[in-house]
Amino acid sequence: QVLLVDSGGGLVQAGDSLRLSCAASGSTFSSYAMGWFRQAPGKVREFVASITWSGDDTYYADSVKGRFTISRDSAKNTVYLQMNSLKLEDTAVYYCAATRRDKLTRFSYEYPYWGQGTQVTVSS
């Protein structure tokens, strides 16, 4: 089992950048594919990005492609989400998630492990 702790959220202005971190502990981090999801008020949780065990492959939602970058540092047991050119519609609680399946997936039900979430608020 892996434990995930999200951090790095905050209040920023449109066009700014922010980097989220997800620290993993309790298991072999390199054996988990990782994902980021987000949930805005009154909306369902949606996929943002995922990355394979090795970090060689990534997958993004169309809404963030070209603006967000997912990466992982196995030495630090941490996965990151670099968010650039933030928009008002990026406001949400962001969650990292882990799965033992080494695949890129956008489906939340394939991730059994979740962080507690970190709030990102983008203002105009």
Side-chain angles (χ1 to χ4, degrees):
Q1 183 172 344
V2 64
L3 301 176
L4 305 175
V5 178
D6 306 322
S7 64
L11 173 62
V12 296
Q13 292 189 321
D16 285 351
S17 297
L18 203 59
R19 188 177 78 161
L20 306 183
S21 299
C22 173
S25 62
S27 188
T28 306
F29 178 65
S30 59
S31 298
Y32 292 83
M34 304 296 294
W36 283 98
F37 290 76
R38 66 186 182 186
Q39 187 166 16
K43 296 189 176 181
V44 299
R45 190 170 299 187
E46 65 173 359
F47 169 77
V48 176
S50 64
I51 188 167
T52 52
W53 290 5
S54 65
D56 289 343
D57 293 307
T58 56
Y59 176 40
Y60 296 93
D62 288 344
S63 58
V64 306
K65 199 175 297 182
R67 299 188 299 122
F68 290 11
T69 303
I70 188 172
S71 62
R72 64 190 300 159
D73 185 337
S74 294
K76 296 182 178 180
N77 286 357
T78 300
V79 63
Y80 303 99
L81 184 68
Q82 178 66 44
M83 305 185 295
N84 299 329
S85 302
L86 282 161
K87 303 177 180 180
L88 298 179
E89 53 263 41
D90 294 320
T91 295
V93 177
Y94 284 72
Y95 300 88
C96 72
T99 176
R100 292 298 299 267
R101 299 184 179 189
D102 189 21
K103 60 183 290 187
L104 297 171
T105 176
R106 65 183 301 119
F107 300 111
S108 59
Y109 63 81
E110 295 200 277
Y111 294 86
Y113 308 107
W114 291 81
Q116 83 287 359
T118 185
Q119 176 72 48
V120 172
T121 303
V122 184
S123 65
S124 59

